[in-house]
Amino acid sequence: MKFTIVLLFLFVNDLSIAQSKQDYYWIWNNDRERDSTQAYIYDFNKKVKKDPEPLGELSPIVMIGLNASICDKDGNLLMYSNGCTVADKNHQVMPNGRNLNNGDYFEMLGDSCFDGYLGKQDIMILPDPGDEEGYYILHKPVIYFPQQNIDYRELRYSYVDMTLNDGNGDITQKNVVLGEELEYFYRYLTAINHENGRDWWIINPLYGGNEYLTYLLDENGFSQKRIQSIGPNFHWNASASGTAVFSPDGSMFAYYNKDDNLLLYDFDRSNGELSNLKQLTLKTNTPNAAFASSVEFSPNSRFLYVAIQDSLWQVDTYEQDLKEGTELIDVWDGTQDPFATTFTLMALAPNCKIYMASGSSTNTYHVINHPDEKGTACDFVQRGIQLPFTSSLANMPNFPR
C-alpha cells in the first residue's frame, strides 16, 4: 500500500511539473536591424546560466513595450507577441498575425508598431481549456477620444489554432472585443488557474470607482463576467504606474501603484471572489520618484516584493498588520548604465528567482536570488544580470499563474 501511495505521489508530482512549463521561454530584444532584431532569452528547459543568452536567430518583431509568450506543456516555445504582431516558434510572423490591437491609436503608431505596442501588463496568452491545440491572446488597445481628452484600454482576444500552418499556428479570430461598454485601466491584466486546474480566472480593474472585472475562461469560452466592488475607489491616475499579481498558491491578489499604494486581498479560486482587504502605504527615498513600480510574490507565496523606482520593499504577508512585516531591502545606488538602473518591473521565474528590469534602456537587470528568505537574506543584487546588449524600456513577459 505504501509503495502504491509513493508511486501515485511521484506520478502526480511529475504531472504537475510537466503542466507547469508554459512559462519556460522568456524573450526580449532591442538591437534592431533593418527588417528584424537580435533577441536574447532565458530558456528554463536548459540549465539556465546566470545571464540571458543571445537567441542566435533574428526575431521579426521588436519588444519594447508589451511582451507575452507561451510554451507547450513540455516547455517548447509556441508563440510570442509585442501587442502588434504575433511570431511563431520559428520566429516567423504567424499568418494573420499582424494588426493586433488595431484602431485609431494603432494607426497613429504607423510603422513604429513594428517596435511593439506600448504599455505594461496589457497582454497575456492563455491555453484554451476546451482544446489543447487552441490559445487565447488577451490584449488591450488604447481607445482615445481627442475631443473629450479621454483614453482608456479595451479588452480583446485573438484565437490561435496550433493545428494550422503545419503545426506552427494561425490566428483564426482577431480583435474580438470583450465587454464593449467597459473602460479598463491600463496595466493590471493578470490571470490564474481555477481551482479545477483547467479553467482560468482573468481580472482587471475598471475606471470610475472600486470595481474589479473578473472573467471565467472555460471550455465554452468566456462564460462568466462579474464586476466586484471592493476596497477604496481607485485614483484617477492609477493607469500611470503599477502592476497586479496573484500569489503562486492562488490565495492572494496584490495591486499596487503610487497613488493607491498596496491593496492586498484574499482570493478564492473556486468562485473568483476577492475578500479581506489589507492596505499598506510605502514610500520612496526621493519625492515624486514612484512613477515606475511593480509587485511580485516569492515562490512560497509568503513574501510580497514592491519595487518603487528607487526602493525595494519586502512585505511579510503572514503578519496580520502588514506594516509590522515590512522591511526596506535596498535603495537604488544611482548607477547609470547607460540610463538610470532604477527598480521598475519584476517577474518571478521558473528557477524561483525574481528578475527586475529598469525603467529605461540598460545593460543589466537586477535579481532577487532567494526571494523565499526573510529580509536581506533574500539576496537582492543590483545589476546582478549582464545582458548581451542594451535592453529596451522596462519589459518582462506577462504570464498567468
Side-chain angles (χ1 to χ4, degrees):
M1 181 65 178
K2 289 182 180 179
F3 180 71
T4 303
I5 292 174
V6 170
L7 285 179
L8 179 60
F9 171 79
L10 291 174
F11 171 76
V12 171
N13 190 53
D14 287 345
L15 181 61
S16 66
I17 291 172
Q19 291 176 334
S20 67
K21 293 186 176 182
Q22 291 178 318
D23 62 347
Y24 264 44
Y25 197 96
W26 294 24
I27 183 167
W28 305 269
N29 54 41
N30 190 37
D31 190 8
R32 179 172 177 172
E33 297 188 354
R34 180 172 181 179
D35 297 314
S36 55
T37 63
Q38 297 284 349
Y40 55 102
I41 62 169
Y42 272 135
D43 183 351
F44 293 97
N45 292 286
K46 301 184 292 186
K47 183 175 176 56
V48 175
K49 297 180 179 179
K50 174 185 173 185
D51 304 322
E53 300 178 280
L55 175 62
E57 302 179 54
L58 295 177
S59 171
I61 59 177
V62 182
M63 305 174 81
I64 68 169
L66 300 186
N67 184 335
S69 60
I70 196 165
C71 300
D72 63 20
K73 292 180 179 180
D74 296 319
N76 302 306
L77 178 67
L78 294 176
M79 72 191 85
Y80 57 100
S81 177
N82 63 1
C84 293
T85 304
V86 183
D88 65 22
K89 63 185 179 184
N90 299 312
H91 307 288
Q92 301 295 318
V93 175
M94 193 173 285
N96 302 309
R98 297 192 184 276
N99 299 324
L100 225 62
N101 285 328
N102 66 359
D104 292 342
Y105 185 77
F106 185 97
E107 298 303 324
M108 288 171 56
L109 291 174
D111 290 340
S112 66
C113 207
F114 172 86
D115 293 336
Y117 211 84
L118 297 180
K120 306 284 186 294
Q121 209 178 14
D122 286 314
I123 190 171
M124 179 175 287
I125 307 173
L126 298 176
D128 182 352
D131 184 350
E132 63 181 12
E133 297 291 345
Y135 293 85
Y136 288 90
I137 305 175
L138 298 172
H139 47 99
K140 293 162 54 186
V142 175
I143 306 300
Y144 180 53
F145 299 95
Q147 296 82 4
Q148 295 85 16
N149 195 27
I150 297 173
D151 63 284
Y152 58 88
R153 293 270 182 168
E154 179 180 72
L155 182 58
R156 301 178 182 177
Y157 75 85
S158 298
Y159 191 83
V160 179
D161 185 340
M162 292 302 300
T163 66
L164 304 177
N165 187 29
D166 296 325
N168 295 312
D170 190 345
I171 295 181
T172 57
Q173 299 179 73
K174 188 162 59 178
N175 289 311
V176 181
V177 178
L178 283 168
E180 293 188 22
E181 76 283 4
L182 298 173
E183 298 178 3
Y184 298 81
F185 272 133
Y186 289 53
R187 304 169 175 256
Y188 308 113
L189 175 64
T190 190
I192 191 168
N193 256 152
H194 187 283
E195 188 178 59
N196 62 25
R198 180 189 64 247
D199 304 332
W200 296 96
W201 294 112
I202 302 154
I203 193 167
N204 206 107
L206 301 175
Y207 274 107
N210 63 344
E211 296 179 335
Y212 295 87
L213 177 100
T214 303
Y215 281 101
L216 177 65
L217 176 61
D218 62 18
E219 61 185 1
N220 300 311
F222 299 90
S223 62
Q224 284 187 30
K225 180 180 76 175
R226 182 176 63 249
I227 295 175
Q228 182 179 4
S229 296
I230 186 172
N233 287 345
F234 302 122
H235 192 277
W236 65 268
N237 198 37
S239 282
S241 69
T243 61
V245 67
F246 286 102
S247 60
D249 67 3
S251 67
M252 290 175 284
F253 172 80
Y255 163 100
Y256 179 85
N257 64 60
K258 70 183 183 69
D259 296 302
D260 293 321
N261 243 282
L262 179 63
L263 306 179
L264 180 64
Y265 296 93
D266 289 343
F267 184 75
D268 189 331
R269 290 176 62 203
S270 67
N271 60 25
E273 290 189 357
L274 302 168
S275 63
N276 192 28
L277 170 64
K278 296 178 183 179
Q279 295 181 253
L280 180 66
T281 298
L282 297 168
K283 297 181 180 180
T284 66
N285 282 324
T286 306
N288 303 317
F291 180 81
S293 54
S294 66
V295 285
E296 183 57 282
F297 277 96
S298 60
N300 65 5
S301 298
R302 175 177 177 177
F303 299 111
L304 180 66
Y305 292 88
V306 186
I308 320 176
Q309 190 153 333
D310 68 353
S311 307
L312 177 65
W313 296 86
Q314 184 194 72
V315 180
D316 189 347
T317 64
Y318 283 9
E319 296 287 345
Q320 184 61 34
D321 183 351
L322 295 181
K323 187 175 181 181
E324 295 298 319
T326 300
E327 182 173 346
L328 180 63
I329 299 300
D330 206 355
V331 174
W332 178 48
D333 62 11
T335 298
Q336 310 280 324
D337 181 30
F339 296 101
T341 58
T342 48
F343 306 162
T344 301
L345 194 61
M346 296 183 289
L348 175 62
N351 63 359
C352 296
K353 296 185 179 186
I354 294 176
Y355 296 101
M356 183 194 301
S358 300
S360 191
S361 297
T362 61
N363 292 308
T364 54
Y365 288 149
H366 310 299
V367 60
I368 306 174
N369 285 301
H370 306 293
D372 281 340
E373 299 298 324
K374 188 173 179 60
T376 56
C378 70
D379 188 22
F380 173 62
V381 181
Q382 298 193 41
R383 300 174 311 284
I385 304 299
Q386 182 66 45
L387 305 182
F389 43 80
T390 306
S391 72
S392 64
L393 303 178
N395 185 317
M396 286 283 166
N398 188 28
F399 293 107
R401 287 297 187 213

